[in-house]
Amino acid sequence: MLVKTAVRKVVVLGHPALRAPARLLSPEEIKDGAVQRLVQEMFATMAEYRGVGLAANQVGLSLSLFVMGLEAKHPRHEGGIPPTAVFNPQVRFLGAEKASDFEGCLSAPGLRGEVSRYLKLELSGLDSAASPFTMTCEGFPARVVQHECDHLMGRVYLDRMGDLASLSYA
Ligand code: NI
C-alpha cells in the first residue's frame, strides 16, 4: 500500500447518524472502490480506538456495515474474533438463553453498563466481496454482533439496559 489507511473520527451520542437506521447496500455498491476503502478505514479506526466492533454510522455514515475483530488470548474472550466485515447483517437467535454482561461503546466514551443479550445466534450477510455468508456466534462474539446490529438500527446499548444502576465510568 502506498499510503497509510486513514483513521476516521468516531462520532459520539448526540450525532444524528447514531439514531438513523442504516440503509442496505447493493453488491455493486459493496464492490465500489470507495466502499472497499471505507472497510479498511473502519478496521484501522477500530484498531486506533481499541474497539472490538464498529458500525458505519459510528463514522457518520448511515450504511448497513459493521466490522469486528479481537486478537486471540484477549482477557475479554480467549478465542478472539477473526477480523470480519459484514454488510446488510441479519440475525437469527438460536435458543432463548440470555446472559448479562458489561458493554461499552466508542460512541459513549468512558461508560460501561450491563446488558442482557442472547447467548447464541446465526449471523448472515454479505462479506466484503459481496458474497453471502452465514456464521454462528456464541457468547462474547454474539454480544458484539447484537451490539453492532443495534447500531445499524439506530440504537445503542444504553437503550437495552433494563436498569441503569450498573452504568458506571470505566
Ligand atoms: Ni457501540
Side-chain angles (χ1 to χ4, degrees):
M1 196 175 283
L2 283 171
V3 290
K4 195 167 173 283
T5 305
V7 169
R8 296 213 174 207
K9 181 186 158 81
V10 174
V11 301
V12 296
L13 287 180
H15 193 290
L18 292 173
R19 293 309 192 172
R23 76 160 177 89
L24 303 178
L25 282 89
S26 69
E28 292 68 35
E29 287 177 317
I30 292 169
K31 291 175 192 162
D32 185 88
V35 172
Q36 292 292 311
R37 193 164 60 245
L38 170 65
V39 171
Q40 294 315 310
E41 290 175 352
M42 284 176 58
F43 277 118
T45 304
M46 183 173 71
E48 177 74 17
Y49 282 77
R50 299 184 192 289
V52 181
L54 185 70
N57 46 358
Q58 293 185 274
V59 295
L61 300 166
S62 290
L63 301 174
S64 187
L65 159 66
F66 76 83
V67 297
M68 61 178 176
L70 179 70
E71 75 235 31
K73 310 266 185 236
H74 193 277
R76 190 77 209 253
H77 181 62
E78 181 77 5
I81 302 174
T84 309
V86 192
F87 289 90
N88 307 344
Q90 285 204 303
V91 162
R92 188 169 68 92
F93 298 118
L94 302 174
E97 212 181 337
K98 294 178 110 177
S100 262
D101 202 353
F102 277 87
E103 291 185 18
C105 181
L106 299 178
S107 294
L111 287 172
R112 293 284 182 275
E114 251 186 306
V115 188
S116 175
R117 300 283 194 187
Y118 287 96
L119 267 182
K120 198 172 173 185
L121 58 83
E122 186 185 80
L123 168 68
S124 52
L126 301 178
D127 65 16
S128 47
S131 304
F133 77 96
T134 296
M135 65 192 280
T136 300
C137 302
E138 192 168 358
F140 183 66
R143 174 172 297 278
V144 174
V145 167
Q146 288 166 83
H147 179 115
E148 300 312 326
C149 287
D150 272 356
H151 273 305
L152 299 178
M153 293 184 285
R155 307 187 79 165
V156 296
Y157 78 88
L158 296 147
D159 306 332
R160 296 283 192 193
M161 290 180 68
D163 179 359
L164 288 172
S166 68
L167 193 63
S168 47
Y169 288 103

